[in-house]
């Protein structure tokens, strides 16, 4: 990862030097922002949108790995409740930190965390813009354990800033700051099946009715505020029930689509075999033996919210992860730096959810595309 | 075509020198066979089986073109009724010449030309074996115009002997002489549609009932004697109704399968994109615009009469024949000698039936595979 520079000064100095800090005032609170640019190159900003439990954390873990260096909480460690992950190249902030109500406050008002009226978009915009322009900020911290707002933490401008959460593309000003945006889209059927397996199985104690009720309760806000952000995403990873097992509702095997917007600067969509045509591919056969229900790929183009898109789809799962190299060979425009890099990345995170299916594959590929996008932006400067 | 040698002496001398001929006796007739080997390398023998009107002549025309030199009747020209085509490298004989009854005789006995009881397989075997071993033969000539047996003609051993007709794979002894065999298989629906268009349209005068009756009359013998030869074919070109136009019975657009047996010496099946897996491909799209109903390719493997086979399928037709180069690029193992040779061959015979669809494409490809097979056999010697 020679193209990435390390912000040693930023990493070792958790606060901006006294006297250089000014106050960036949001409507509700004030946080100091360093005025000194700690990076000569602007930070590239990536938005990752999804509902809770849809794999944002897994995705950012894969992304940080591709971008170089494992992600950890900020080294200052002042806030054990910090949601931020920092690596040599990348800082991932969680937009829950911009909740303007704590859990008690939301409960009192009877609103969900999905409701954008209680997200401080002014502060989010100002701080993301500040980081993008090379200035450090004091970002609020929402403690997911206590449900309270913890003391703020310093975020210094990294090479790549990832903002992940419920609303990275909701506010037009924040949206305009994004160099690339991803929406992780889990279909309702898969969401329900996964929640049932988690809450009735491992964690136990929940009835099917209570699980369905909790999903239904979130639905109006989800459909009103979260889902519409799909239309702004440069890439969408959509998880759907398999078509390989008739009548399946377990969703242990899934069908995953990578939907890539055409005409996005520094982003060339991935394709299978032949760019611009329509292809269905069942790799299982003479050279790759797959157990039931097999694997099926599809590639083609479509329109998505009025935009031309390329779509690569994988249904099924890998028996042995190293067989992925066979699939990788037939995908083009992967932005890998060496033959087999996708397979290597997938093997490195074999324990992470989705590593044997299209979620892991496409998350890894999007990570590589983001690295490439970053390098193209840097090269152009 | 440097690998092909020209039998000038054979081509200019219609008869074997007096005194060197011996008699090859069949049960019914006797024909002289030259004892002098006119070729130091054995003749490669190719069998082409099909019912009448199924494209054997078109196929042999394409084949002769691929093998080098246009095919013409034997130069001696003694028999204006000759069914034989001779080019520099290839001689195509028509197995109708081995009918043991003329048209009047068949009519008197109430038998069809499909009935193998009235084919002289002994003579066919002896003469094909003689040619394969490098000896010239005096082959009978069945005159399709008069329905009578004309005086015999001399066939000198070519590099490649093609035996085309109703029964090239019927007799086990003849079958064993074949280095490669092809069956041209037109499905009943397509046969009927084509016959209706020809006999009710251009030629006129026939009712739908009479056309159906004539097909039905041939069916028992066809199913008993011709169709079973499919199981022995190394390659089958199967013409089926399109699946792109729901309910179509015109069969102007067709779906064509190239079925290739695995494990045939000197013959490596063609594949699309990825050998050994299953692929569906719609080339029409961003790079190739196709008018209704479009084009769809499929590739995969299957079993065919108990044999493992690879199958490439094309449904639809080309708007512009030079667009074929785009398709050619994605087919592998074509045995071409230069980039675009399939397209060049197709353009050369653009006026021949099937040039805009899978029949022409696969006939051309089989021609290239036969050239390759011949060259491999020669190289091994």
């Amino acid at each position: 990862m020679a193209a990435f520079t390390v912000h040693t000064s930023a990493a070792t100095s958790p606060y901006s030097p006294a006297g250089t800090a000014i106050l960036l005032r949001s409507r509700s609170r004030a946080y100091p922002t360093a005025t000194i640019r700690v990076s000569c190159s602007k930070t590239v900003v990536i938005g990752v949108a999804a509902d809770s439990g849809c794999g944002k954390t897994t995705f950012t873990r894969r992304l940080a790995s591709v971008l170089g260096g494992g992600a950890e909480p900020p080294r200052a460690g002042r806030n054990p409740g910090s949601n931020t992950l920092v690596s040599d190249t990348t800082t991932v902030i969680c937009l829950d930190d911009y909740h303007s109500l704590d859990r008690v406050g939301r409960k009192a008002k009877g609103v969900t965390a999905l409701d954008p009226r209680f997200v401080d978009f002014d502060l989010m915009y100002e701080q993301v813009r500040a980081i993008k322009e090379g200035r450090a900020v004091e970002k609020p911290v929402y403690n997911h354990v206590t449900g309270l707002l913890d003391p703020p933490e310093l975020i210094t401008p990294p090479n790549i800033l990832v903002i992940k959460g419920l609303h990275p593309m909701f506010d037009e000003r924040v949206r305009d700051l994004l160099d690339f945006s991803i929406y992780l889209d889990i279909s309702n059927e898969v969401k329900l099946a996964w929640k049932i397996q988690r809450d009735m199985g491992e964690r136990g104690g929940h009835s099917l009715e209570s699980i369905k009720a909790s999903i239904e309760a979130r639905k109006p806000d989800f459909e009103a505020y979260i889902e519409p952000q799909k239309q702004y995403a440069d890439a969408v990873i959509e998880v759907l029930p398999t078509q390989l097992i008739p009548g399946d509702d377990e969703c242990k095997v899934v069908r995953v689509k990578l939907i890539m917007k055409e005409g996005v600067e520094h982003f060339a969509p991935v394709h299978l075999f032949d760019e611009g045509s329509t292809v269905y591919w069942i790799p299982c056969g003479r050279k790759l033996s797959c157990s039931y229900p097999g694997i099926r790929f599809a590639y083609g183009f479509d329109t998505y919210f009025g935009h031309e898109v390329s779509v690569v789809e994988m249904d099924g799962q890998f028996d042995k992860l190293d067989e992925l190299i066979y699939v990788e060979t037939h995908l083009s425009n992967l932005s890998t730096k060496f033959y087999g890099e996708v397979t290597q990345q997938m093997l490195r995170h074999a324990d992470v959810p989705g590593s044997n299916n299209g979620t892991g594959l496409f998350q890894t590929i999007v990570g590589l595309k983001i690295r490439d996008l970053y390098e193209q932006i840097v090269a152009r400067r």
Side-chain angles (χ1 to χ4, degrees), chain A:
Chain A
M1 298 302 305
F4 286 64
T5 55
V6 180
H7 295 262
T8 330
S9 64
T12 51
S13 145
Y15 287 97
S16 54
T20 64
I22 59 159
L23 289 183
L24 241 191
R25 289 189 187 281
S26 75
R27 270 196 297 263
S28 50
R29 269 171 262 113
Y31 297 95
T33 302
T35 52
I36 299 167
R37 285 176 167 255
V38 294
S39 166
C40 63
S41 65
K42 270 195 341 180
T43 292
V44 170
V45 185
I46 310 294
V48 181
D51 197 3
S52 323
C54 289
K56 292 189 293 289
T57 304
T58 304
F59 173 63
T60 48
R61 188 168 153 189
R62 289 188 199 279
L63 180 60
S65 165
V66 167
L67 297 174
E72 295 164 18
R75 294 184 201 175
R78 198 174 62 146
N79 290 315
S82 171
N83 307 304
T84 305
L85 292 171
V86 177
S87 74
D88 290 349
T89 60
T90 310
T91 296
V92 182
I93 64 176
C94 175
L95 297 180
D96 290 350
D97 291 335
Y98 293 98
H99 281 326
S100 58
L101 286 179
D102 59 18
R103 200 180 293 155
V104 178
R106 288 202 300 272
K107 219 160 200 170
K109 283 195 186 282
V111 297
T112 69
L114 308 173
D115 192 327
R117 288 175 298 168
F118 306 99
V119 176
D120 190 344
F121 286 111
D122 291 342
L123 184 64
M124 189 192 293
Y125 165 63
E126 284 167 18
Q127 294 204 330
V128 173
R129 195 186 62 173
I131 295 168
K132 184 157 184 161
E133 290 170 354
R135 289 173 285 141
V137 302
E138 287 276 324
K139 183 186 63 55
V141 175
Y142 173 79
N143 187 319
H144 283 90
V145 179
T146 63
L148 298 171
L149 295 169
D150 279 357
E153 64 183 355
L154 185 79
I155 305 293
T156 54
N159 290 354
I160 299 169
L161 174 71
V162 178
I163 61 170
K164 72 171 171 103
L166 293 163
H167 307 96
M169 287 100 90
F170 185 89
D171 184 274
E172 194 183 346
R173 298 166 301 167
V174 179
R175 202 160 67 223
D176 287 348
L177 294 172
L178 301 177
D179 292 289
F180 194 77
S181 57
I182 302 112
Y183 187 99
L184 305 176
D185 186 17
I186 313 292
S187 70
N188 290 331
E189 299 93 318
V190 176
K191 242 185 218 175
L192 176 64
W194 284 1
K195 216 168 153 57
I196 287 171
Q197 277 151 40
R198 197 187 60 190
D199 294 353
M200 292 181 76
E202 296 152 34
R203 296 193 190 177
H206 293 266
S207 70
L208 183 60
E209 286 65 37
S210 73
I211 294 168
K212 282 185 174 171
S214 80
I215 289 182
E216 285 304 312
R218 283 175 70 88
K219 222 171 184 179
D221 278 1
F222 174 73
E223 287 173 359
Y225 308 123
I226 311 304
E227 210 169 23
Q229 295 176 95
K230 284 196 230 181
Q231 67 192 292
Y232 305 118
D234 297 314
V236 175
I237 296 176
E238 190 178 351
V239 184
L240 298 153
T242 182
Q243 290 177 334
L244 299 174
I245 306 170
D248 175 71
D249 57 5
E250 271 199 315
C251 298
K252 284 187 176 168
V253 177
V254 290
R255 178 166 61 101
V256 187
K257 281 183 172 187
L258 173 57
I259 301 165
M260 297 160 283
K261 205 179 265 183
E262 294 289 330
V264 174
E265 208 178 2
H266 309 304
F267 174 66
V270 173
H271 66 259
L272 181 63
F273 292 121
D274 177 55
E275 198 259 309
S277 62
T278 303
V279 178
Y280 300 88
W281 178 44
I282 300 164
C284 313
R286 291 200 181 119
K287 287 195 292 191
L288 182 68
S289 57
C290 313
S291 68
Y292 181 82
I295 300 174
R296 189 174 61 190
F297 279 84
Y299 162 68
F301 52 97
D302 205 345
T303 51
Y304 187 79
F305 292 99
H307 296 289
E308 278 221 318
V309 291
S310 286
V311 182
V312 177
E313 180 182 307
M314 175 184 167
D315 198 352
Q317 54 194 29
F318 301 108
D319 281 351
K320 291 179 203 149
L321 207 46
D322 44 7
E323 286 171 352
L324 177 57
I325 188 72
Y326 176 72
V327 169
E328 183 177 350
T329 307
H330 294 298
L331 290 163
S332 300
N333 261 350
L334 288 173
S335 301
T336 48
K337 288 188 188 274
F338 55 87
Y339 177 73
E341 188 175 11
V342 170
T343 305
Q344 191 204 64
Q345 281 292 336
M346 289 280 279
L347 285 167
R348 184 178 292 171
H349 301 285
D351 56 317
V352 169
S355 286
N356 66 339
N357 65 35
T359 59
L361 176 62
F362 295 147
Q363 285 181 359
T364 302
I365 290 173
V366 169
L368 291 164
K369 299 306 292 186
I370 289 171
R371 182 181 69 188
D372 188 45
L373 176 120
Y374 168 76
E375 291 179 1
Q376 285 185 57
I377 292 173
V378 168
R380 208 183 44 177
R381 282 183 199 143

